[in-house]
Amino acid sequence: MASDLIILCFLLVGLSFSPVISTNSEGNALHALRRRLSDPTNVLQSWDPTLVNPCTWFHVTCDSENHVIRLDLGNSNISGTLGPEIGDLQHLQYLELYRNGISGKIPTEMGNLRNLVSMDLYENKFERRIPKSFAKLKSLRFLRMNNNKLTGSIPRELSSLSKLKIFDVSNNDLCGTIPVDGPFADFSMESYENNRLSGPELQGLVPYDFGC
């Protein structure tokens, strides 16, 4: 009996000193992002997963209900990849990841960021296609993905983003034609320069992915 009590005491002490990972889903998502990134200048040093929520972390802004609404990591000398967990930041309004060395594909799950107003991914090393899931970002006003290594065509589905005011995919390796419906009727050709695009879509005359 005494030996059982001793073992129980040791277990309780061990639990009291074990690091408690945040039960906040947004904190968990950001911690997962940190694990995927190389951070030689310790920009993410304050991202402590044992805290109840990430609202005290540097480069993270929360609203009055402790929801993460802004992530400011532009020009931070970070590299690595993004994972599906970033789609769990469902209150996020501003995503600033510009001028870093982030590579790999843009996760489809970023289409879950329904409150997003601005997404700046420019001057990184993103590859592969622009996710069609971005068409679900109905609040999006600014989308800048220029100076990456993106391929494939511009998803026609993005024509449904009626609030989109700024769109820049210049200096990639995109192909096909340029959408002409919705907000795309107002974007200048500078938004598309230095790609392999064949020009504006000629509906019914040329296949949308002509040249890909």
Side-chain angles (χ1 to χ4, degrees):
M1 183 68 179
S3 61
D4 290 341
L5 288 173
I6 293 172
I7 293 172
L8 180 60
C9 288
F10 274 114
L11 287 173
L12 290 173
V13 170
L15 286 173
S16 67
F17 285 98
S18 298
V20 179
I21 301 301
S22 171
T23 56
N24 180 287
S25 61
E26 294 176 321
N28 292 339
L30 289 175
H31 185 59
L33 173 63
R34 180 185 179 183
R35 291 198 302 267
R36 292 177 180 274
L37 297 175
S38 173
D39 177 28
T41 54
N42 293 319
V43 171
L44 307 177
Q45 190 173 25
S46 68
W47 288 26
D48 182 353
T50 64
L51 299 179
V52 175
N53 63 61
C55 297
T56 59
W57 299 359
F58 291 155
H59 313 290
V60 175
T61 303
C62 293
D63 62 15
S64 59
E65 297 180 353
N66 291 331
H67 293 136
V68 176
I69 59 171
R70 187 174 185 118
L71 186 59
D72 288 294
L73 290 174
N75 200 25
S76 295
N77 195 31
I78 54 177
S79 59
T81 60
L82 303 182
E85 305 89 356
I86 197 168
D88 292 335
L89 301 173
Q90 296 193 12
H91 299 275
L92 196 67
Q93 298 177 22
Y94 298 89
L95 178 60
E96 306 296 331
L97 297 176
Y98 59 87
R99 291 182 184 149
N100 286 298
I102 305 173
S103 58
K105 70 174 185 177
I106 300 174
T108 300
E109 291 80 4
M110 289 175 68
N112 296 332
L113 305 177
R114 304 292 181 91
N115 293 298
L116 207 61
V117 174
S118 177
M119 187 193 310
D120 283 322
L121 306 180
Y122 62 86
E123 295 185 30
N124 277 284
K125 299 178 182 179
F126 288 112
E127 302 170 344
R128 300 173 68 176
R129 292 179 174 269
I130 300 170
K132 292 182 179 180
S133 63
F134 279 8
K136 296 188 292 184
L137 304 177
K138 301 302 184 184
S139 298
L140 196 63
R141 295 174 59 87
F142 308 99
L143 178 56
R144 287 171 280 236
M145 299 179 288
N146 51 290
N147 296 82
N148 279 286
K149 300 179 179 181
L150 298 172
T151 57
S153 58
I154 300 171
R156 181 186 279 164
E157 291 82 356
L158 301 187
S159 297
S160 66
L161 299 178
S162 60
K163 295 183 179 180
L164 194 61
K165 300 300 181 185
I166 300 293
F167 180 79
D168 192 345
V169 291
S170 59
N171 299 299
N172 279 286
D173 193 28
L174 299 172
C175 57
T177 57
I178 299 169
V180 294
D181 294 328
F184 288 90
D186 299 322
F187 300 143
S188 71
M189 293 306 295
E190 293 178 353
S191 300
Y192 313 106
E193 63 185 8
N194 296 324
N195 282 285
R196 295 188 294 114
L197 295 163
S198 303
E201 179 185 10
L202 300 174
Q203 295 178 345
L205 298 176
V206 177
Y208 181 73
D209 58 355
F210 178 78
C212 281

